[in-house]
Amino acid sequence: MKVSKLAANLIGSEIVKIGNEVNDLKAKGAQIANLTIGDLDSNLYPIPEKLKEEIELAYQNNLTNYPPANGLATLRNAVSEDLKSRWNLDYSANDILVTAGSRPLIYAVYKTIVDAGDKVIYPIPSWNNNHYCYLTSADAVEIKTTPENNFLPTAEQIKPHLKDAVMLSLCSPLNPTGTMFTETQLREICEIILEENKGRSEDKKPLYLMYDQIYSNLTFGNVHVDPVSLYPEMKEFTVYIDGISKCLAATGVRVGWGFGPTHIMDKMKALLTHVGAWAPKPEQEATAKFYADPENVNSFVNDFKHKLEESLKVLHQGIQDLKNNGLSVDSIEPMGAMYLTIKLDYIGKTKPDGEKIITSSDLVFYLINEAGVALVPFSAFGEDKSEPWFRASVGGLPVDEIKNMMPKLEQALSKLK
């Protein structure tokens, strides 16, 4: 049966494929340390109690009809105040758009800015930019990053590609690496964006920056930096992605928001009225009440990110111990989010049954079956399958399970020759 060319050629998620394998094995009784999902075990990390109470109250009060297409005014006002007090960003409620998590916002940014054939620049590894470029028929320009720069793109790498580009997509802290821009790194990138836009004629689109800071509250001793705080002139060119999914452990509550230049946000609002990607009204009402008191956010986030940091440090130390034991592994010290970047340099090695590990995916499925450890290869984020780098998410595992899995991982890797 025929379908559209877009649907016929759409590539499925490698993360979902790995997750399905893990779920099938767990259903058969296997014990798997699942480090694949960018999600949280809600029993380990429940949403704030007050947020839960406000959601329940909103349903009891029958707030179950359509919300305004751009989000409840009370929530947009609360977000506006939070941006001002937390990051010193001055955005009115009218320039804030609320959706069901951040994905509709990212899609809307692409559809609002990018025409078929337009050039979009993004680093690899990064989350889903390759798929959004496909969905918008963009001309994707991938910047291959290096571990020496914490897998973050540099201004020097980006600058040669800026001519005729309409969007640069960045994320900090970064999914999948858990690394983040320093002030100097981001300043240099903002400077080349501003320089490029100064030289553009009025009949051309500007070069916009989509800045995903959904993990901005989850940083460990590092200061989150953003473009407009560094250069107020960037306000004309920057669209931010944000929300509660990660910072309030509320991935399933589905409340996200974007903010940026008025003319871009107005078109994004219009686009999404035809998609219907609104966050549920009760959840919006509850989030507005929760954010009305900044201490609600601060107290929860401080406790939550401390727990994530502890888990990440345990995992990082475990990998470093394996390295010290002579295994071909490494990891980058976590800076934010819930992810650890791990190197398992075993591509090309041979399994005990004589079969060769040819790709990073082969190693993933070997470790699932041999060690009960599930990781995501960077190939799921645009890297080549020959790269030995992997994302480990600690959101679904308690610390003791992370400790218990390390000997199994060591034993399985030691069998590869």
Side-chain angles (χ1 to χ4, degrees), residues 82-142:
D82 186 74
L83 294 175
K84 182 69 175 173
S85 63
R86 192 174 300 279
W87 309 119
N88 198 29
L89 292 170
D90 190 7
Y91 286 85
S92 74
N94 289 333
D95 290 332
I96 295 168
L97 172 60
V98 178
T99 62
S102 62
R103 291 181 190 228
L105 292 162
I106 296 172
Y107 178 69
V109 173
Y110 268 86
K111 293 298 288 184
T112 297
I113 293 173
V114 182
D115 287 310
D118 278 349
K119 187 193 293 187
V120 174
I121 305 168
Y122 59 88
I124 53 171
S126 65
W127 180 82
N128 258 25
N129 282 297
N130 54 336
H131 298 297
Y132 286 113
C133 279
Y134 173 75
L135 290 171
T136 51
S137 300
D139 176 13
V141 177
E142 297 182 335

Side-chain angles (χ1 to χ4, degrees), residues 42 45 101 116 118 142 165 168 207 212 214 263 305 356 384 393:
S42 54
Y45 301 110
D118 278 349
E142 297 182 335
L168 169 64
L207 170 64
D212 182 347
I214 196 74
H263 69 287
K305 73 179 182 180
K356 201 166 187 177
D384 192 88
S393 170

Side-chain angles (χ1 to χ4, degrees), residues 266-381:
D266 284 347
K267 294 302 182 184
M268 287 172 61
K269 293 173 198 174
L271 172 69
L272 291 181
T273 59
H274 302 294
V275 178
W278 306 301
K281 192 172 184 178
E283 280 76 356
Q284 289 196 45
E285 173 78 4
T287 304
K289 289 185 176 180
F290 189 80
Y291 266 77
D293 182 355
E295 186 53 31
N296 289 333
V297 181
N298 296 338
S299 60
F300 179 84
V301 165
N302 288 338
D303 177 66
F304 175 43
K305 73 179 182 180
H306 174 74
K307 292 174 181 175
L308 288 178
E309 183 181 16
E310 181 185 4
S311 292
L312 285 165
K313 284 183 174 179
V314 167
L315 181 57
H316 176 56
Q317 186 57 54
I319 296 297
Q320 292 303 307
D321 289 343
L322 297 189
K323 179 182 177 180
N324 293 334
N325 289 344
L327 274 71
S328 299
V329 302
D330 208 346
S331 53
I332 296 176
E333 187 169 356
M335 302 168 73
M338 60 182 75
Y339 309 118
L340 185 71
T341 294
I342 296 175
K343 184 179 186 181
L344 303 175
D345 202 3
Y346 287 86
I347 312 300
K349 300 294 186 180
T350 302
K351 296 190 288 186
D353 63 5
E355 189 177 351
K356 201 166 187 177
I357 302 284
I358 298 173
T359 69
S360 55
S361 294
D362 292 341
L363 184 56
V364 164
F365 288 109
Y366 167 76
L367 291 177
I368 289 172
N369 289 287
E370 189 68 27
V373 174
L375 303 165
V376 179
F378 273 15
S379 60
F381 307 100

